[in-house]
Amino acid sequence: MADRKTILRLLRYTLLMFVAAAGIITIAASGGGGDGGDATIASGSGSTGGSASADSEYDESALPEGTSYTYEDDDSNPTTITFGSNEITGDTAGATYDGNIVTINTPGTFNITGTVADGQIRVDTLEDGDVRLVFMNADITCSFGPPLDIENAERVIIRLEAGTDNSLTDTHTTEVYDEDGDEIDAALYSKEDLVISGTGSLSVETGYKDGIKSKDSLIIDSGNITVVSADDGIIGKNFISVESGDIYIDAGGDGLKSTEDDDADQGYIYITDGVFDIEAGADAVQVETNIVIMDGDFNISTGGGSSYSTSDTAKGLKSPIGITIYNGEFIIDTADDSIHSNDTIVINGGDFQISSADDAIHADIEITVNDGTIDILDCYEGIEGMVININDGDIHVESYDDPINATDGNGGENTSGVAIYINGGYMYLRCTNADGFDSNGAVYLTGGTVVINGPTSGSNGILDYGTFKTTGGTIIGAGTSSMAQAPGSSSSSQNALLFVFSQKSAGTLFHIENSSGTDIVTFAPAKTYSSVVFSSPDLITGSTYNVYMGGSYSGGSETDGLYSGGSYSGGQRYFSFTISSRVTTVR
């Protein structure tokens, strides 16, 4: 069995296609040569009320035999090209020179070094074989086109030599066209497969349009890459695959982008690891099919950040089909949705700090959270989709509107197919001016813990749903008594409580204990409240309970207003009741 890194290398240039009906992600091998084949990763769906899961370990036996997208450096017999202030010097093997323009016309290895104020490298070879450009402190500025123009080659591999700093600066301001009549609109422009590797640095800057653009595939194996561009930062038409690297992008348009929209097997971005610092005027990461992130550190800002709102698209991660995240560290601050799919989002792990002027996490069809720490600091709506599955993870949402909202986008109540499934994990939800927990269809609570600080007034409620079935888990919420609904129904197998009373101040303890004095729950709502909803496996049919308000709690611990492990005392008893049905309302 090959090690994990080898397997990831084999997979890094693949398309991950969602098959929604079967809950399967299909990986189709493509690009760079090799035999066709496919592997599958089971992702599952909680939409049937079951627990979804996603397996991030790959089965090597499912990979196509003999498939390899790796490459080998070949430093034998290199041609050295040295740029000077007024001329280029170097070997003639495989290259021709015309003033400050060098044209590489055969495959091979070419060491590039030196500085030129107005020059260009062109790659134009029809022979089979890789062209390897080894950048060794090369500084190329061009005023009449891209500093690096790749017109014809089987594949071009750029290696950033260790310990070297390299730059490509595009100062041209008028339209330039390639041999096919297409505009050359990037400082590093390639019509062929492009690979960037090595541990040196590369700075690409243009005030015209795009930074790095491949009209075929783009593979970033490693390197320290900085792109400053007037429009898009880095484009790989067929796909972008990043295994590692330290990538900084300051783009007036999109940051990372794959643009193939005529082939369902392409137009994706696949990231194994790396450090990404992306500041984009439009979307930070945009594709035509799928985004798949295995790991990495991401610092993303779009449209000026969450303190701005925009009518233009300025999303963080944006896909029309699917986004799958296995791990990583994410700081996302966006003027539009932070993570957005027109279809499906699956989060299997990672740490997220999200601020958004619109939705933090939005999918038109389905969102599944299998694990991870998601801290939504500020947003309009928190997690929104037609079907929302929470199977595990630690989720905190601070929102203006609904922290969690299941909707088909048409605004109808009790809509078929719209549902929230809470099967595990922990959720803390707090809103300013909306429902604390909203489903325009069904809610199924089978496990986990949900804590809600809902609205304090207005025509909103702690809960807003069509149907609510509780078979496990714990939910407690406080807020206005307007539109009061209990977290359960007669179809539930676990008891639910709804309390309505005169308004209490924020921080006033709400405490339930059984007739023997055993604590059931102690909760300090973060805002004024006149209603509490509660369901727990500790609520037993036929048992009597007492409700106290005020008082104090000593010892133990407190998390998000929930106390445990200590002792409650000193409160005023408000209610005494006996559970005789699945839903008990106490006023």
Side-chain angles (χ1 to χ4, degrees):
M1 175 71 69
D3 61 26
R4 179 174 174 79
K5 185 173 181 180
T6 300
I7 295 171
L8 289 174
R9 281 181 179 272
L10 292 173
L11 285 169
R12 61 182 173 167
Y13 313 128
T14 60
L15 172 68
L16 281 83
M17 296 294 293
F18 287 88
V19 183
I24 295 295
I25 303 173
T26 301
I27 306 177
S30 64
D35 298 327
D38 62 87
T40 60
I41 306 172
S43 69
S45 168
S47 59
T48 60
S51 176
S53 65
D55 185 3
S56 61
E57 297 297 325
Y58 300 109
D59 180 5
E60 183 191 11
S61 65
L63 296 175
E65 184 177 355
T67 299
S68 175
Y69 298 102
T70 60
Y71 61 90
E72 295 181 0
D73 287 327
D74 182 1
D75 293 332
S76 61
N77 301 316
T79 296
T80 299
I81 298 170
T82 302
F83 284 93
S85 58
N86 296 314
E87 62 178 350
I88 307 172
T89 59
D91 302 329
T92 58
T96 59
Y97 304 91
D98 181 8
N100 284 338
I101 300 175
V102 57
T103 299
I104 295 169
N105 46 42
T106 62
T109 300
F110 300 84
N111 296 338
I112 311 296
T113 188
T115 300
V116 62
D118 198 12
Q120 185 181 66
I121 300 173
R122 297 184 81 250
V123 176
D124 192 0
T125 174
L126 298 177
E127 297 180 36
D128 293 339
D130 292 335
V131 174
R132 300 176 180 85
L133 305 179
V134 183
F135 280 17
M136 309 169 69
N137 290 317
D139 183 354
I140 303 170
T141 300
C142 188
S143 67
F144 52 85
L148 176 53
D149 180 10
I150 300 168
E151 289 291 322
N152 292 290
E154 183 176 2
R155 180 172 60 175
V156 173
I157 300 169
I158 296 173
R159 191 177 83 218
L160 308 174
E161 190 72 3
T164 68
D165 296 321
N166 305 277
S167 65
L168 300 173
T169 305
D170 182 359
T171 62
H172 91 273
T173 58
T174 58
E175 294 180 353
V176 179
Y177 296 91
D178 64 23
E179 296 169 350
D180 295 325
D182 296 327
E183 185 182 5
I184 301 176
D185 51 4
L188 198 171
Y189 178 82
S190 176
K191 295 169 67 176
E192 310 293 355
D193 291 327
L194 178 65
V195 178
I196 300 175
S197 68
T199 59
S201 71
L202 174 65
S203 174
V204 178
E205 184 172 354
T206 177
Y208 182 59
K209 288 188 178 179
D210 304 329
I212 298 173
K213 182 174 185 177
S214 170
K215 297 183 73 174
D216 208 315
S217 66
L218 173 60
I219 298 164
I220 299 176
D221 183 73
S222 56
N224 298 305
I225 301 170
T226 297
V227 177
V228 179
S229 61
D231 196 6
D232 300 331
I234 299 177
I235 300 173
K237 182 178 181 181
N238 289 356
F239 63 82
I240 296 177
S241 178
V242 182
E243 180 167 306
S244 185
D246 194 330
I247 299 171
Y248 171 81
I249 299 173
D250 183 352
D254 300 320
L256 280 174
K257 186 174 184 179
S258 185
T259 60
E260 179 56 74
D261 58 1
D262 291 330
D263 188 340
D265 290 340
Q266 298 184 349
Y268 63 92
I269 292 177
Y270 182 85
I271 295 172
T272 301
D273 204 349
V275 177
F276 301 82
D277 190 344
I278 302 175
E279 184 173 348
D283 303 321
V285 181
Q286 186 209 106
V287 297
E288 294 296 333
T289 55
N290 293 287
I291 297 170
V292 177
I293 297 174
M294 298 300 300
D295 207 342
D297 293 333
F298 297 81
N299 190 343
I300 290 172
S301 175
T302 67
S306 58
S307 59
Y308 296 87
S309 61
T310 177
S311 58
D312 298 322
T313 180
K315 296 176 172 62
L317 309 179
K318 177 184 175 183
S319 166
I321 295 179
I323 298 172
T324 303
I325 298 171
Y326 286 92
N327 204 358
E329 303 282 338
F330 298 82
I331 299 174
I332 306 177
D333 186 14
T334 57
D336 202 346
D337 296 352
S338 292
I339 303 176
H340 176 99
S341 172
N342 292 3
D343 199 303
T344 306
I345 295 171
V346 178
I347 297 175
N348 296 307
D351 293 325
F352 300 79
Q353 294 183 36
I354 298 175
S355 299
S356 173
D358 203 350
D359 298 344
I361 302 173
H362 174 99
D364 289 353
I365 305 301
E366 187 169 11
I367 297 170
T368 299
V369 178
N370 291 315
D371 204 353
T373 299
I374 301 173
D375 194 0
I376 299 174
L377 307 174
D378 184 29
C379 64
Y380 183 73
E381 288 194 319
I383 301 173
E384 183 179 63
M386 190 170 77
V387 175
I388 300 172
N389 309 295
I390 308 297
N391 298 313
D392 205 347
D394 189 323
I395 301 170
H396 284 67
V397 181
E398 295 270 354
S399 65
Y400 177 81
D401 205 68
D402 301 335
I404 185 167
N405 182 32
T407 177
D408 65 356
N410 295 318
E413 295 295 329
N414 206 12
T415 305
S416 176
V418 174
I420 299 174
Y421 298 88
I422 309 295
N423 301 313
Y426 178 87
M427 298 186 74
Y428 175 83
L429 310 175
R430 177 172 170 171
C431 66
T432 300
N433 187 36
D435 300 313
F437 185 105
D438 190 353
S439 174
N440 289 352
V443 178
Y444 298 91
L445 177 64
T446 69
T449 299
V450 182
V451 180
I452 304 169
N453 281 283
T456 59
S457 62
S459 58
N460 295 296
I462 305 167
L463 305 174
D464 184 10
Y465 59 80
T467 61
F468 202 122
K469 184 176 181 178
T470 304
T471 59
T474 298
I475 183 169
I476 187 164
T480 179
S481 57
S482 176
M483 296 177 58
Q485 292 180 288
S489 63
S490 59
S491 66
S492 300
S493 60
Q494 179 173 292
N495 295 318
L497 304 175
L498 168 62
F499 301 92
V500 178
F501 41 80
S502 59
Q503 191 174 79
K504 306 302 175 187
S505 301
T508 301
L509 292 182
F510 178 90
H511 174 78
I512 302 176
E513 61 184 49
N514 65 19
S515 58
S516 301
T518 302
D519 289 359
I520 303 301
V521 69
T522 303
F523 181 45
K527 300 186 288 184
T528 59
Y529 65 105
S530 57
S531 181
V532 170
V533 298
F534 180 59
S535 182
S536 163
D538 295 332
L539 297 174
I540 308 302
T541 301
S543 296
T544 298
Y545 299 88
N546 296 307
V547 176
Y548 294 83
M549 296 190 192
S552 61
Y553 199 92
S554 60
S557 62
E558 178 270 333
T559 302
D560 296 328
L562 281 179
Y563 291 82
S564 63
S567 60
Y568 173 83
S569 63
Q572 178 183 356
R573 190 173 77 170
Y574 260 63
F575 304 112
S576 180
F577 63 93
T578 300
I579 295 177
S580 60
S581 61
R582 285 299 178 216
V583 177
T584 301
T585 300
V586 182
R587 297 178 182 271

